[in-house]
Amino acid sequence: MWRKALAVALLALAVGYFYHGSPDLPEQILQYIGLPNFQSSSHSLNGHNSLEQVISAAWETLITLPTRQWSKVAVGVNACVDVVVSGVGLLQALAVDPGTGLDHEVLHSKEDLKEAFIHYMGRGAAAERFFSDKEVFQRIARAAAEYPGAKLYVGGNAALIGQKFATYPNLMVLLCGPVGPKLHEMLDEQIVVPPDSLQETDEFHLILEYKAGEQWGSTQAPQANRFIFSHDVSNGEMSSLETFVASLEEFQPDLVVLSGLHMMEGQGRELWEERLKEAVAAISDIRKDIPIHLELASMTDRDYMNSIMQEVMPIVSSIGLNEQELLFLSQAGEGPHADLPAWKGIPDVGRVSDILLWILEEHGRSDPSSEADLTRIHFHTLAYHILATVDGYWGNQAAAVMAGARVASSQACGLQSVDVSKVELKAPVEFYSSHFEPREELSLNPAEPVTVWRRGSVTFHLTPVLVCKQPLRTVGLGDAISAEGLVYSELKTQQPF
């Protein structure tokens, strides 16, 4: 061992001696003897050619709008006012002590809230729950609104997606949902709200945020995220759905975006079973030549998720979801990797690919003879995004998946564009197309940051996310990602869905 060390030291002295006469010589010597050039590799990682810089520059070059763009988008049906507050700070103000985490499908008390918050904070995972007690919820909501630093924002997947679409001046946006006076005041001027959607009072949702590394008692958050809860009956019953579908005839959209199904889960099985049938009937009334995108959100009831998978997914053309929703979907439908209790760290690309393929094969139109309409899934997780599409239906998907990742990188940092000094690459550089054999070994090329592979009639586009090191706001990121991905997507087929 000491002989090797001595040889390296002598080599370093020799290189230093020759460097005085020829500054280029060390690089020539290092290349000749096959050792890495530490000076140049360090420069390439920390200078202008860092991986983050290369990826961001590639995005700017490669992200282009499709030839045929949407002109009118109708979005519904969940909308509210979000009260964003420090989760640990609010719970301390409510005089609850830290303890052990425990998940609850429905929250009935402050104790349930504390346990569910700790459960998800310890995992760094997002979740959303219904709070059953109206009076207790209103007391907590008042405390949240009065908490120092609390902020009010446009909330609800539909309203947030509508707000993102409204940043494109040539896009006309219809928003249908329970819109109260405060929310109406906060919406972009470009958004049209049908009169039947306006109501006298706002629906409030509480978003308890926590930072990466934040500690409460013995619980420490591995990454920044948020826990959402509400007592929201209007959104919970999807009471605006029929108004939404009725307004489409006059508005004549060329894309429909639907969200809020997850809100019905907290209303109990009897209500959601009946309401889901009515929702399916209403969605089926939408003209067949208009593509429908369904945005999913956090759920805990496997029967309910399975019902959505069996009854709603086959009648929509596209879905958007994150890693928790994807795994829960597979668990509910006994799909691939359903025995996995939760993702550990960054979700494995091969496993994600297996579940996406299974959804499109079981509930989509991967087989041309299928009567299902589902041909596109936009999957997003912290470190990377994947667009999986059935061949022949969608165009510009490489640009669409990159656009979604770019908005995740900028919006999390509270910026209009990506600042490479504030983001970092966390995506795997090498991965597999499947967890099962045979599988393809794939890699990420920062200069062309979309990896493409095919499985049967399904094409996968993966791009990394440049993860914000100190995120300012995590709420609504999934909605912005899906909206941006849809803006850059082009419907190729002219045949009815």
Side-chain angles (χ1 to χ4, degrees):
M1 190 75 180
W2 64 270
R3 286 176 183 169
K4 285 183 182 177
L6 182 62
V8 170
L10 288 170
L11 178 64
L13 283 169
V15 169
Y17 177 78
F18 284 115
Y19 185 82
H20 182 72
S22 174
D24 295 329
L25 192 58
E27 188 168 350
Q28 295 162 13
I29 294 173
L30 291 170
Q31 286 172 348
Y32 178 76
I33 62 175
L35 288 172
N37 181 341
F38 293 107
Q39 183 183 5
S40 64
S41 66
S42 169
H43 173 76
S44 71
L45 286 174
N46 298 321
H48 294 297
N49 297 322
S50 69
L51 291 179
E52 290 82 1
Q53 180 73 47
V54 172
I55 290 167
S56 180
W59 281 347
E60 295 311 312
T61 305
L62 299 170
I63 297 174
T64 53
L65 284 161
T67 313
R68 281 192 313 124
Q69 297 170 41
W70 318 109
S71 58
K72 288 173 152 190
V73 181
V75 188
V77 291
N78 60 328
C80 63
V81 175
D82 280 344
V83 182
V84 182
V85 67
S86 159
V88 173
L90 177 64
L91 288 166
Q92 286 175 332
L94 293 171
V96 292
D97 296 319
T100 53
L102 180 65
D103 196 10
H104 295 275
E105 290 190 7
V106 176
L107 309 178
H108 302 288
S109 64
K110 285 196 296 184
E111 196 66 21
D112 286 358
L113 169 63
K114 175 198 77 173
E115 290 174 349
F117 175 79
I118 290 171
H119 174 83
Y120 285 99
M121 180 184 172
R123 288 161 174 75
E128 189 163 347
R129 295 290 179 269
F130 181 76
F131 200 103
S132 64
D133 191 317
K134 182 180 179 179
E135 287 183 15
V136 174
F137 175 78
Q138 286 176 340
R139 284 201 296 273
I140 296 171
R142 276 196 296 274
E146 291 166 6
Y147 188 81
K151 294 183 176 69
L152 269 60
Y153 296 102
V154 169
N157 307 86
L160 286 163
I161 290 169
Q163 286 284 87
K164 191 64 196 169
F165 281 134
T167 61
Y168 290 86
N170 297 326
L171 199 52
M172 196 172 171
V173 184
L174 175 88
L175 172 66
C176 207
V179 177
K182 185 64 183 172
L183 177 59
H184 201 204
E185 176 192 311
M186 294 163 76
L187 289 173
D188 191 286
E189 290 177 2
Q190 204 169 307
I191 293 176
V192 177
V193 180
D196 289 349
S197 279
L198 298 171
Q199 59 180 44
E200 289 180 10
T201 55
D202 285 281
E203 299 288 357
F204 288 95
H205 287 209
L206 304 191
I207 289 98
L208 309 191
E209 290 198 320
Y210 49 85
K211 298 183 178 73
E214 187 170 357
Q215 189 130 5
W216 192 36
S218 60
T219 305
Q220 187 171 28
Q223 64 189 36
N225 223 315
R226 78 280 177 184
F227 182 86
I228 306 173
F229 69 106
S230 65
H231 177 87
D232 181 344
V233 178
S234 295
N235 285 305
E237 294 176 352
M238 288 187 83
S239 57
S240 300
L241 182 60
E242 283 78 7
T243 303
F244 179 52
V245 174
S247 64
L248 300 181
E249 197 168 332
E250 186 183 340
F251 186 67
Q252 292 290 305
D254 39 21
L255 171 67
V256 167
V257 179
L258 180 66
S259 62
L261 284 172
H262 64 287
M263 296 293 299
M264 292 203 290
E265 182 184 54
Q267 301 296 309
R269 185 178 187 118
E270 197 174 319
L271 185 141
W272 66 247
E273 270 188 344
E274 187 61 36
R275 194 73 184 106
L276 198 61
K277 286 177 193 165
E278 293 167 358
V280 168
I283 296 163
S284 301
D285 284 342
I286 297 170
R287 271 196 2 239
K288 292 295 177 192
D289 60 332
I290 302 173
I292 304 167
H293 172 85
L294 172 66
E295 191 67 16
L296 292 174
S298 175
M299 286 180 262
T300 58
D301 186 321
R302 291 192 183 199
D303 290 342
Y304 184 55
M305 178 60 110
N306 201 36
S307 294
I308 289 172
M309 192 163 38
Q310 301 288 342
E311 298 171 42
V312 183
M313 282 189 194
I315 61 172
V316 300
S317 357
S318 168
I319 60 172
L321 75 180
N322 68 18
E323 74 277 14
Q324 271 117 23
E325 291 139 24
L326 183 80
L327 182 58
F328 187 60
L329 213 153
S330 190
Q331 291 166 345
E334 297 179 355
H337 315 297
D339 57 341
L340 199 67
W343 300 109
K344 288 182 181 174
I346 296 166
D348 174 67
V349 174
R351 284 188 170 95
V352 167
S353 175
D354 293 337
I355 302 173
L356 293 172
L357 181 67
W358 167 76
I359 295 168
L360 288 169
E361 285 181 341
E362 291 294 314
H363 306 285
R365 201 192 279 189
S366 64
D367 183 340
S369 64
S370 169
E371 292 183 5
D373 294 330
L374 183 64
T375 50
R376 178 183 183 272
I377 304 175
H378 193 166
F379 167 81
H380 52 88
T381 186
L382 182 74
Y384 64 87
H385 297 171
I386 296 176
L387 256 171
T389 50
V390 177
D391 295 341
Y393 290 93
W394 296 89
N396 211 42
Q397 294 303 278
V401 76
M402 286 188 285
R406 181 176 64 179
V407 82
S409 300
S410 58
Q411 190 166 308
C413 285
L415 302 169
Q416 294 299 311
S417 58
V418 179
D419 181 341
V420 292
S421 69
K422 295 183 177 180
V423 295
E424 58 186 329
L425 182 67
K426 288 191 173 184
V429 179
E430 293 181 337
F431 45 89
Y432 289 99
S433 63
S434 171
H435 187 66
F436 307 117
E437 298 292 349
R439 58 186 184 169
E440 189 181 349
E441 190 170 354
L442 302 160
S443 61
L444 175 68
N445 174 6
E448 294 178 15
V450 178
T451 306
V452 184
W453 69 97
R454 292 189 70 217
R455 297 178 67 180
S457 63
V458 176
T459 299
F460 298 81
H461 291 83
L462 177 147
T463 197
V465 175
L466 299 179
V467 181
C468 186
K469 294 174 190 174
Q470 293 182 311
L472 296 177
R473 188 163 181 250
T474 57
V475 174
L477 267 190
D479 303 310
I481 291 161
S482 287
E484 198 81 347
L486 286 165
V487 166
Y488 282 85
S489 291
E490 183 173 6
L491 191 62
K492 280 166 74 172
T493 181
Q494 292 300 306
Q495 67 194 63
F497 265 97

